[in-house]
Amino acid sequence: MNFTISSPANAVIGRYNLTLQVTSGNKIFSRFLGQFVLLFNPWCPGDDVYMANENERQEYVLNENGIIFVGNAKYIEARGWYYGQFQDHLLNICLTMLDLSLYYRQDPAIDVSRRGDPKYVGRVISSMINGNDNDNGVLLGKWQGSFHSHENPSRWDGSVVILQKWRQGNYKPVQYGQCWVFAGVMCTVLRCLGIPTRLVSNFNSAHDVDRNLSIDKYYDSSGKSLNISKDSTWDYHVWNESWFIRPDLGTSYSGWQVLDATPQEQSR
């Protein structure tokens, strides 16, 4: 007898145990068949992360190599980055990341029940890529001072070493990361889980602290600049976009969704 088992397109991702149970009369026979891992599936039309174009699936899900653009608007530098989402142990590290999050620790049942939703999983991963909020995140951010006792962010050229170092260090944040490093690692994790993901670089990047949608500068009556605004403009900033539908907002908002793992201000 042959059996075909199909999971719902919105099933929760993660590790599963597979058991066969046969009932015959009043007797029940049960046998453990093994374990499997269920991921998001961009090839499945019913999945929230479905991506119709095969070339785009090859690029945003299966490609293990990429380029990250950094520098400034007058001198844009292309840095090679190895995502390595299919390397040994990477899947286990990514699944463990979900179980280490504050979301899981606060309510494991609710957290796991929501893992079929790429919006929720993206939110959890964006929090776990950085360790600046004391949640055993992957990377600690640092932008000033000396890096001599740890890795200078500019030395990283791929995600695999960082994620392996995080696991080997008993899930303590690796030192150090900056925006393109956070984005590179986040791309690895999301592609590993089956969510199509890409990187976006923005030059002369506005950093609006007080959320009034403007970069404010203040001057006194004589024209002297007053250093009272926390707003700033960065040479560049790198973040991620992931592809999934938005039934909560309407079909016009489906497609590429912004996710930013760089620790800045806490969002709601």
Side-chain angles (χ1 to χ4, degrees):
M1 187 176 292
N2 295 321
F3 293 92
T4 299
I5 301 173
S6 298
S7 61
N10 62 348
V12 167
I13 67 163
R15 302 181 181 94
Y16 283 79
N17 292 329
L18 184 62
T19 302
L20 176 67
Q21 181 175 295
V22 179
T23 302
S24 179
N26 60 354
K27 295 182 179 180
I28 298 176
F29 303 91
S30 184
R31 174 178 292 182
F32 175 69
L33 298 180
Q35 293 180 317
F36 66 92
V37 175
L38 189 66
L39 302 174
F40 291 105
N41 186 357
W43 282 261
C44 173
D47 199 303
D48 285 356
V49 303
Y50 174 63
M51 182 171 260
N53 187 300
E54 174 60 23
N55 289 333
E56 291 183 344
R57 292 193 295 250
Q58 292 290 327
E59 177 62 35
Y60 300 125
V61 184
L62 300 180
N63 195 349
E64 291 192 82
N65 294 279
I67 293 174
I68 305 177
F69 294 98
V70 299
N72 60 62
K74 294 183 178 180
Y75 181 75
I76 296 176
E77 177 188 356
R79 303 175 71 106
W81 191 268
Y82 179 55
Y83 301 119
Q85 65 268 31
F86 301 117
Q87 296 306 300
D88 286 346
H89 310 298
L90 255 290
L91 179 57
N92 280 330
I93 292 174
C94 295
L95 293 174
T96 299
M97 189 180 300
L98 294 173
D99 292 341
L100 289 175
S101 74
L102 293 176
Y103 298 85
Y104 180 82
R105 282 184 268 167
Q106 289 166 0
D107 194 328
I110 293 294
D111 174 75
V112 171
S113 72
R114 298 186 66 184
R115 291 185 185 176
D117 181 356
K119 300 188 304 296
Y120 180 76
V121 172
R123 192 82 169 154
V124 173
I125 296 301
S126 70
S127 173
M128 284 299 297
I129 293 300
N130 70 77
N132 290 59
D133 42 5
N134 298 315
D135 60 356
N136 293 101
V138 177
L139 280 157
L140 202 64
K142 185 176 181 180
W143 289 264
Q144 296 175 331
S146 172
F147 300 105
H148 71 275
S149 58
H150 297 284
E151 197 70 46
N152 188 314
S154 64
R155 297 283 298 276
W156 301 116
D157 59 5
S159 307
V160 178
V161 173
I162 294 171
L163 289 165
Q164 289 176 339
K165 191 178 180 72
W166 179 59
R167 184 192 61 175
Q168 292 162 1
N170 198 27
Y171 305 107
K172 293 181 179 178
V174 176
Q175 302 178 60
Y176 291 104
Q178 292 179 3
C179 64
W180 77 92
V181 186
F182 291 119
V185 175
M186 182 143 161
C187 185
T188 294
V189 175
L190 293 174
R191 287 187 183 182
C192 183
L193 297 177
I195 302 176
T197 303
R198 66 186 184 186
L199 274 71
V200 174
S201 293
N202 181 51
F203 296 90
N204 290 333
S205 187
H207 185 198
D208 172 28
V209 174
D210 56 11
R211 302 180 184 178
N212 65 353
L213 301 183
S214 67
I215 299 299
D216 303 316
K217 298 181 180 181
Y218 299 89
Y219 301 88
D220 64 16
S221 56
S222 64
K224 182 181 178 182
S225 177
L226 299 174
N227 189 26
I228 60 176
S229 174
K230 294 183 179 180
D231 291 346
S232 60
T233 302
W234 299 350
D235 282 345
Y236 70 98
H237 185 46
V238 185
W239 59 82
N240 299 94
E241 288 184 345
S242 291
W243 179 273
F244 47 83
I245 64 172
R246 294 300 300 268
D248 55 323
L249 298 178
T251 55
S252 62
Y253 289 94
S254 294
W256 291 111
Q257 311 292 324
V258 173
L259 292 164
D260 194 344
T262 298
Q264 301 172 60
E265 290 76 42
Q266 287 188 336
S267 68
R268 291 171 291 182

